[in-house]
């Protein structure tokens, strides 16, 4: 098995210590940091995301892999070349105004970062105007909107309308999620995509941001 | 005795939503009768999932549900206007679901509750977000009880919800809920605790066993009510057994009766 394949498999097991050793070994063996990141680590998180979506892997395991990845990425950071060009894209994400739930959103942030995106997390209880201001400031490729209460689902619609009114909607894609949300609702409010969990969100983010 | 708040009449459930949309009286009444026979203490009624239809749906449900049971209702809505209408239509003293310390909710709900004869579910939630420790939950519980007592509520009518969070996200979450309940039941003697426990297993495999064992552990910590499915025979049997083991069942009589009726088979 190649060094990069072993890295991918170790990432999936969530063994942070072993992964760090393997990453250092790969660097010493002359494998490029970018390849280690893109093929070894991000490739591994893509698989984790798929397994999460299919129900084969569970939240604690996804968190362990995410943590292991984070530690290894810190080692790679000073060696990476290309800066912005090596990022998969920029994402802004938040939970809508009136809603304080963030567990799902935080998992999405972790997964999306792990598969190579730069993420700006606006937090919870985010007014539509704040989403719009953040879009103006960061010019993202993708905006993620989350809500967990049936009572705050209408606020998702208001947020999308605010983005439309600001004239910025055509420059980005909008993805929505949260327990009471479904594809029908996403279509109704004009979102570009709906993701049922962090795994499918990260896959969808890549599909929506094909450069 | 453990208070079972039957959770099934909720429009977020696909079949219920369809029955409400179609005004299917039989479906709803059948379900309510089953919940009643299975030992529910309250029947929760939530009409919030059909956006724009909540008032008409709630009106219809209140009539249909009360036609099928003599149990008191738990009125479940975030909208004080809906709760006001619902309060006027109930035949027995209801439970109201819910109040919290979140600014938007708190002010309007305190106003609603003034002068009403009801019990109240109080969520240990404020604008700073989900609780991060048992201390957070306990502090919020004290605030809620203080405010409710100010407007004349008795502790026996207050049901505090500690806001159970998933183990899969942080392994302190089980103990956080249990420690909070234990402390609340001692420091705020006379109140009740309640809530839906299934959040505990979110993100884990084999959710059913996680939910069941957690119910037993929460009851051991003093938890004395739950929003649950009375038609889940195993869960009801477990709840009754745990409640007996916690010393809440004189002469173990409810337990013994339940084994004779076939409600508990092990």
């Amino acid at each position: 098995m190649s060094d990069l394949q072993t890295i991918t498999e170790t990432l999936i097991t969530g063994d942070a210590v072993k992964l760090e050793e393997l990453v250092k070994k790969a660097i010493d063996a002359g494998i490029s940091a970018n390849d280690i990141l893109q093929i070894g680590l991000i490739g591994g998180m893509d698989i984790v995301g798929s397994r999460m979506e299919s129900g084969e892997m569970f939240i604690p395991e996804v968190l362990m892999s995410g943590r292991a990845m984070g530690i290894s990425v810190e080692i790679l950071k000073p060696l990476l070349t290309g800066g912005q060009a090596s990022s998969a894209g920029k994402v802004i994400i938040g939970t809508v105004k009136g809603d304080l739930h963030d567990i799902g959103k935080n998992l999405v942030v972790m997964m999306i970062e792990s598969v190579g995106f730069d993420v700006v997390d606006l937090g919870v209880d985010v007014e539509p105007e704040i989403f719009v201001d953040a879009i103006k400031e960061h010019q993202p490729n993708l905006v993620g909107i989350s809500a967990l209460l049936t009572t705050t689902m209408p606020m998702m619609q208001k947020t999308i309308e605010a983005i439309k009114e600001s004239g910025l909607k055509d420059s980005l894609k909008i993805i929505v999620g949260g327990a009471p949300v479904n594809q029908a609702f996403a279509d109704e409010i004009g979102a570009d995509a709906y993701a049922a969990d962090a795994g499918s969100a990260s896959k969808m983010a890549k599909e929506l941001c094909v450069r | 005795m453990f208070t079972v708040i039957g959770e099934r009449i909720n429009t977020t459930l696909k079949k219920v939503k369809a029955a409400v949309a179609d005004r299917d009286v039989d479906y709803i009444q059948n379900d309510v009768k089953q919940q009643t026979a299975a030992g529910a203490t309250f029947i929760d009624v939530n009409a919030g999932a059909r956006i724009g239809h909540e008032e008409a749906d709630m009106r219809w449900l209140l009539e249909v549900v009360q036609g099928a049971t003599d149990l008191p209702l738990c009125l479940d809505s975030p909208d004080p206007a809906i709760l006001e209408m619902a309060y006027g239509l109930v035949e027995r003293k209801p439970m109201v679901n819910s109040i919290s310390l979140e600014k938007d909710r708190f002010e309007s709900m305190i106003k609603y509750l003034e002068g009403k004869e009801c019990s109240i579910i109080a969520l240990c939630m404020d604008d700073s977000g989900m609780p991060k420790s048992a201390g957070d939950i306990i502090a919020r519980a004290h605030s809620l009880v203080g405010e409710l007592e100010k407007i004349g509520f008795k502790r026996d009518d207050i049901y505090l919800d500690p806001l159970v969070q998933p183990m899969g996200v942080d392994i302190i979450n089980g103990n956080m809920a249990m420690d909070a309940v234990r402390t609340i039941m001692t420091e705020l003697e006379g109140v009740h605790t309640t809530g839906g426990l299934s959040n505990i297993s979110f993100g884990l495999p084999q959710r059913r066993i996680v939910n069941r064992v957690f119910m037993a552990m929460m009851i051991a910590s003093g938890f004395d009510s739950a929003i649950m499915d009375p038609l889940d025979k195993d869960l009801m049997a477990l709840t009754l057994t745990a409640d007996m083991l916690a010393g809440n069942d004189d002469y173990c009589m409810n337990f013994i009766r339940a084994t004779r009726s076939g409600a508990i088979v092990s």
Side-chain angles (χ1 to χ4, degrees):
Chain A
M1 200 187 301
S2 80
D3 288 341
L4 291 177
Q5 244 172 304
T6 318
I7 284 175
T8 298
E9 309 233 330
T10 306
L11 173 65
I12 294 169
T13 68
D15 187 337
V17 171
K18 188 167 173 208
L19 185 67
E20 210 183 326
E21 278 171 29
L22 289 170
V23 166
K24 286 184 177 151
K25 228 181 86 186
I27 293 170
D28 290 341
I31 303 179
S32 85
N34 288 55
D35 279 353
I36 297 172
L37 176 66
Q38 293 292 336
I39 303 171
L41 297 178
I42 292 178
M45 282 313 278
D46 281 338
I47 296 172
V48 171
S50 288
R51 289 192 188 173
M52 186 193 191
E53 196 181 0
S54 70
E56 264 176 86
M57 278 182 81
F58 300 93
I59 291 179
E61 297 172 303
V62 174
L63 291 175
M64 277 175 68
S65 293
R67 187 176 154 266
M69 169 130 179
I71 293 169
S72 290
V73 165
E74 282 309 299
I75 301 170
L76 292 171
K77 258 197 189 136
L79 306 170
L80 292 168
T81 60
Q84 270 298 93
S86 66
S87 156
K90 196 171 235 181
V91 181
I92 287 181
I93 189 168
T95 300
V96 297
K97 175 167 154 65
D99 200 324
L100 299 173
H101 292 92
D102 64 358
I103 287 173
K105 170 188 73 64
N106 293 347
L107 287 168
V108 170
V109 169
M110 190 207 69
M111 278 305 300
I112 288 189
E113 277 180 333
S114 297
V115 298
F117 286 88
D118 294 320
V119 181
V120 176
D121 184 351
L122 300 176
V124 297
D125 196 17
V126 181
E127 315 229 339
E129 301 75 54
I130 308 277
F131 271 99
V132 171
D133 288 343
I135 292 169
K136 287 187 181 144
E137 188 188 333
H138 298 282
Q139 284 142 39
N141 308 90
L142 195 63
V143 174
I145 308 175
S146 172
L148 202 86
L149 305 169
T150 52
T151 45
T152 50
M153 280 165 70
M155 186 54 69
M156 280 186 144
Q157 189 167 18
K158 290 207 180 82
T159 305
I160 293 179
E161 272 159 22
I163 297 172
K164 261 195 211 140
E165 269 158 39
S166 69
L168 300 163
K169 191 169 184 297
D170 293 329
S171 64
L172 48 81
K173 294 273 193 272
I174 297 178
I175 183 168
V176 294
V181 182
N182 54 32
Q183 188 64 60
F185 183 72
D187 294 338
E188 208 185 298
I189 63 174
D192 295 289
Y194 156 71
D197 56 62
S200 48
S202 57
K203 197 196 286 181
M204 231 167 265
K206 282 191 158 179
E207 285 165 14
L208 291 170
C209 292
V210 169
R211 314 277 217 116
Chain B
M1 205 196 67
F2 197 86
T3 300
V4 173
I5 302 166
E7 67 182 9
R8 296 172 61 89
I9 304 299
N10 190 319
T11 49
T12 60
L13 299 172
K14 215 166 162 186
K15 285 193 182 145
V16 176
K17 193 179 193 181
V20 171
D22 294 338
R23 295 296 192 247
D24 186 347
V25 174
D26 285 339
Y27 183 91
I28 302 290
Q29 291 197 328
N30 214 352
D31 194 295
V32 169
K33 285 186 182 133
Q34 285 184 64
Q35 289 190 68
T36 306
T41 325
F42 284 84
I43 302 287
D44 187 279
V45 183
N46 181 317
R50 299 206 319 141
I51 301 175
H53 297 265
E54 193 178 2
E55 194 191 327
D57 288 351
M58 184 60 109
R59 245 178 232 282
W60 179 79
L61 275 171
L62 290 173
E63 193 184 332
V64 172
V65 169
Q66 291 187 107
T69 186
D70 288 334
L71 292 176
L73 305 188
C74 181
L75 307 174
D76 189 349
S77 173
D79 185 345
I82 300 279
L83 291 171
E84 197 64 62
M85 174 272 286
Y87 185 79
L89 294 174
V90 294
E91 292 160 13
R92 274 158 283 276
K93 175 180 166 184
M95 186 178 286
V96 173
N97 187 354
S98 55
I99 190 172
S100 80
L101 294 165
E102 291 157 283
K103 214 180 85 213
D104 297 337
R105 263 185 125 156
F106 180 74
E107 319 238 331
S108 52
M109 281 306 292
I110 279 285
K111 229 180 260 159
Y112 165 83
L113 289 168
E114 268 165 4
K116 295 237 176 19
E117 272 282 302
C118 62
S119 43
I120 178 72
I121 297 179
L123 310 183
C124 296
M125 181 74 156
D126 66 25
D127 288 313
S128 66
M130 296 297 281
K132 296 190 177 59
S133 69
D136 277 352
I137 301 170
I138 295 159
R140 294 163 186 195
H142 278 274
S143 293
L144 285 160
V145 174
E147 294 292 339
L148 289 165
E149 284 183 321
K150 249 190 241 165
I151 60 166
F153 269 76
K154 299 208 173 60
R155 289 189 177 186
D156 194 33
D157 283 331
I158 301 174
Y159 288 71
L160 292 156
D161 185 335
L163 297 175
V164 170
Q165 296 177 71
M167 284 305 288
V169 170
D170 195 331
I171 61 171
I172 68 167
N173 282 338
N175 283 327
M176 192 195 300
M178 290 186 276
D179 290 344
V181 167
R182 204 172 294 120
T183 308
I184 285 169
M185 297 301 269
T186 10
E187 283 182 8
L188 291 161
E189 215 187 316
V191 302
H192 302 280
T193 38
T194 195
L197 297 186
S198 61
N199 274 353
I200 196 70
S201 60
F202 176 71
L204 290 178
Q206 301 295 341
R207 292 188 68 176
R208 281 164 69 96
I209 192 173
V210 177
N211 295 339
R212 278 158 180 42
V213 178
F214 189 56
M215 175 70 92
M217 292 172 77
M218 283 287 269
I219 289 174
S221 306
F223 201 57
D224 68 348
S225 163
I227 301 172
M228 57 190 281
D229 181 0
L231 301 191
D232 184 339
K233 203 171 169 188
D234 288 344
L235 185 59
M236 286 294 275
L238 182 142
T239 302
L240 226 147
T241 308
D243 200 41
M244 178 273 289
L245 287 164
N248 301 326
D249 185 2
D250 279 345
Y251 292 94
C252 309
M253 217 44 238
N254 287 323
F255 171 80
I256 294 173
R257 240 183 247 128
T259 61
R260 290 208 178 108
S261 74
I264 297 178
V265 179
S266 67

